[in-house]
Amino acid sequence: MNNERLPECPQRPDGYEISVDPGRLDRALVHRWLSEDSYWALGRSREKQDAAIDGSLNFGVYEEASGAQVGYARVVTDRATFAWLCDVYVDRGVRGKGLGTALAGAVRDHLAPYGLRRILLATGDAHGVYAKVGFEPLAAPDKWMALGEQ
């Protein structure tokens, strides 16, 4: 992705900010969102979620006025060649405002200086969100393999 012409970063909706400060994360809220309301992490333990946060680059979306967290994304990366974007979640009460697209764009732009060869993600229902910031289906999915849950 490092040499391609990428779409412009989507406009962050007024009244919201995106931060990579792990100290701002509401870990209990992130755990509740993912373990109770996402299709990919249902039942994930709080211990497992905290370990995932601790081992990742984390992005939070916050209301500027209240400071309340309304979104989250996590990136697993070596900061040299590869990144995996996962656990992207926007609170149901603020969906439809473009926050998911802005969050994906912020992740992409934050990772750009590393010159990563590839940023991957998996989604069952948000292909359009990620396509807006340059993600595409795998060109050769037959080259990829997985170990574990699929």
Side-chain angles (χ1 to χ4, degrees):
M1 294 189 79
N2 55 348
N3 292 328
E4 300 174 22
R5 180 169 167 78
L6 297 172
E8 292 293 318
C9 187
Q11 182 71 24
R12 180 179 38 83
D14 287 339
Y16 296 92
E17 62 179 318
I18 298 173
S19 172
V20 296
D21 178 359
R24 291 187 67 184
L25 295 174
D26 183 336
R27 288 173 174 242
L29 178 62
V30 169
H31 175 253
R32 183 172 54 77
W33 283 338
L34 298 177
S35 69
E36 297 178 11
D37 193 42
S38 73
Y39 64 83
W40 64 90
L42 288 176
R44 183 182 289 170
S45 73
R46 174 67 191 266
E47 179 181 67
K48 181 77 72 176
Q49 183 59 48
D50 282 345
I53 288 171
D54 291 340
S56 301
L57 172 61
N58 300 278
F59 292 76
V61 182
Y62 305 90
E63 291 181 340
E64 288 179 341
S66 69
Q69 187 172 351
V70 297
Y72 175 74
R74 183 168 72 84
V75 176
V76 180
T77 183
D78 60 10
R79 291 179 171 86
T81 63
F82 178 82
W84 177 261
L85 172 58
C86 53
D87 288 346
V88 179
Y89 187 93
V90 174
D91 186 273
R92 289 184 178 274
V94 295
R95 289 184 187 170
K97 297 181 178 187
L99 290 170
T101 301
L103 180 54
V107 168
R108 180 200 66 194
D109 292 350
H110 184 88
L111 295 174
Y114 298 118
L116 304 176
R117 180 173 180 191
R118 184 171 290 115
I119 302 170
L120 291 177
L121 63 85
T123 183
D125 62 355
H127 297 77
V129 169
Y130 301 108
K132 290 176 186 175
V133 299
F135 284 90
E136 299 175 341
L138 291 173
D142 56 313
K143 290 183 178 182
W144 294 88
M145 297 179 72
L147 176 65
E149 286 185 41
Q150 293 189 42

